[in-house]
Amino acid sequence: MADMVAHHVADRPVGRSHSDAMVPPLITALAEIVGPGHVLADPPARAGFETDWTGRWHGEALAVVRPADTAEVAAVVTACANAEAVIVTQGGHTGLVGGGVPRARGCGDGRPQVVVSTTRLNAVDGVDTATAQLAAGAGTTLADAQRAARNAGLELALDLAARDSATLGGLIACDAGGLRALRHGTARRQLAGLRAVMADATVIDSRMTGLIKDTAGYDLGALLVGSEGTLAIITAVRWSLTPPRPARAVALVGLQTVADAVALARTLRPALPSLEVCELMLRDGMALTLAHLGLAAPMALSPVAVLLECAGAQDPMDELAAALADAGADQRAVSAADSAGRERLLAIRERHADAIAAAGVPVKFDVGVPLDRIAEFCSEVDQVVAAVWPRARVITFGHLADGNLHVNVLPADPGDIAASGDALDDAVLRLVARCSGTVSAEHGIGVHKVGHLQLTRAPAEIAAMLAIKRALDPADILNPGVGLPTAF
Ligand SMILES: Cc1cc2nc3c(=O)[nH]c(=O)nc-3n(C[C@H](O)[C@H](O)[C@H](O)COP(=O)(O)OP(=O)(O)OC[C@H]3O[C@@H](n4cnc5c(N)ncnc54)[C@H](O)[C@@H]3O)c2cc1C
């Protein structure tokens, strides 16, 4: 993930190339709140915050501001509201749907956009072993939080390849899922409490005391799960941890068809309570990733592969091997119980996104499809893409047991995205709807899918969401244009 961090180019704080006369009053006000060193107004300093991880989404901010605590965040919200500027909250900058960078065509009504970066809200306050909860700033990276949990003898179960950059606040804001959601649920299930600054700059503490049970009123923290920076800025979280599962075993199983992979997932899930990773890969994606990593294939590449990991207090290798034998899949599998061997196998799946990014700017689809429609979806998606972009390369992989597929489309010509990316979005997301799926399984709606929310959400649901947005952010200053079609 080192390349991801490099998106944040060397900081040049406000003031270095602005004469005082040129500095807009909002920038002066922001600098008074957070200190001039934490307001980035020059284009080169802002650049790393203005283009998303994929390179597809880009917009211009008036400034990037980096508050140090909740009080500074609240003061920043007030200053932006007074200046009629809008706020794009940004955490680790690993989101894949364009929700964490400024809007390309402005926010629609000419208001300036200010990026509020949470990267300085990164203190781990501690781990409470009695409740098995970790308290930390919302800008804490997943990797740092996982380390703190491990140091306290517990585990933070959510895991994904962007762990070194993705932040706890971003994970909640997108309801991230990742590799181990089939056993531990998405961020939603692991959230114990949060603190947030609302659009009117008030601060709410939702279950931040660590109480396991608290049914007094609406669960405001839960409301912010998946809200993508449109309802509040999360500044701190309490995260539920799990007992450690230090013994792990990984297997890679080669198969002929996606239907075979789905059948294997269906058989193994009930047979293997220790199963926590069950991922789908196809030959093209595996070949690209192995070449990107400079690794030899661990076995002859088959058209389809399933990557499995079991974890527990005791070594789960025998259990995994027995389940594979019962499923008739043991002859086509390679496995590893040692840490280096496991990492090598896991990397083939985890580094798909990096390998694709190195090959070009992809159009990325994170979708959900019921298990019994996955094979149909995978065979049709290639044809649907080919009808729009005949020479594109399609690489599909995903979290098989969750029915969560990542379809990555690399256009033959990078200019195709601007010319007909919308047509591609429409074709693929309509296929998802025909397969009774969801247009977003774990990345959120962002700006990418805002026009397609209605494909898999009923009008009454969208109306309820709009009512919440209008009630909590009546001036539409928090991430306008993200998540919801025309909020105002
Ligand atoms: C290589 C790679 C692999 C990935 N794998 C997975 C995966 O397996 N599963 C998965 O679910 N995702 C995955 N992602 C996507 C991404 O990591 C997640 O969406 C993550 O939750 C984004 O967190 P972030 O801190 O980077 O948020 P950002 O990208 O900074 O922001 C994402 C959204 O959250 C909002 N936001 C961020 N912080 C806050 C806050 N404190 N308060 C309010 N709103 C906020 C932003 O406004 C934006 O709308 C992957 C990304 C990459 C690059």
Side-chain angles (χ1 to χ4, degrees), residues 319-385:
E319 192 185 329
L320 175 57
L324 285 175
D326 287 350
D330 52 332
Q331 299 303 314
R332 288 163 279 135
V334 290
S335 57
D338 64 299
S339 154
R342 287 195 327 257
E343 292 307 320
R344 256 196 312 277
L345 291 178
L346 285 168
I348 303 172
R349 163 59 188 86
E350 282 210 331
R351 301 297 298 277
H352 262 59
D354 287 342
I356 292 164
V361 175
V363 175
K364 292 175 99 67
F365 297 97
D366 152 56
V367 300
V369 182
L371 267 189
D372 58 4
R373 308 289 296 272
I374 283 187
E376 171 192 350
F377 177 85
C378 286
S379 80
E380 283 189 29
V381 75
D382 289 355
Q383 298 158 32
V384 160
V385 171

Side-chain angles (χ1 to χ4, degrees), residues 53 89 91-95 99 167 170-171 176-178 228-229 234 399 442-443 479:
W53 192 87
T89 304
H93 202 22
T94 67
T167 62
L171 298 168
E228 300 185 71
I234 302 162
H399 310 298
E442 59 175 11
H443 293 169
N479 232 356

Side-chain angles (χ1 to χ4, degrees), residues 9 23 55 84 92 344 432 475:
V9 293
V23 177
E84 297 188 357
R344 256 196 312 277
V432 171

Side-chain angles (χ1 to χ4, degrees), residues 227-281:
S227 63
E228 300 185 71
T230 62
L231 297 179
I233 303 175
I234 302 162
T235 59
V237 300
R238 283 186 80 90
W239 202 285
S240 291
L241 307 175
T242 62
R245 304 171 307 286
R248 291 175 182 270
V250 174
L252 181 69
V253 185
L255 298 162
Q256 289 305 310
T257 67
V258 173
D260 293 342
V262 171
L264 183 65
R266 278 193 187 287
T267 307
L268 293 182
R269 187 91 194 264
L272 273 176
S274 63
L275 185 66
E276 56 181 56
V277 172
C278 179
E279 299 288 309
L280 175 76
M281 296 181 285

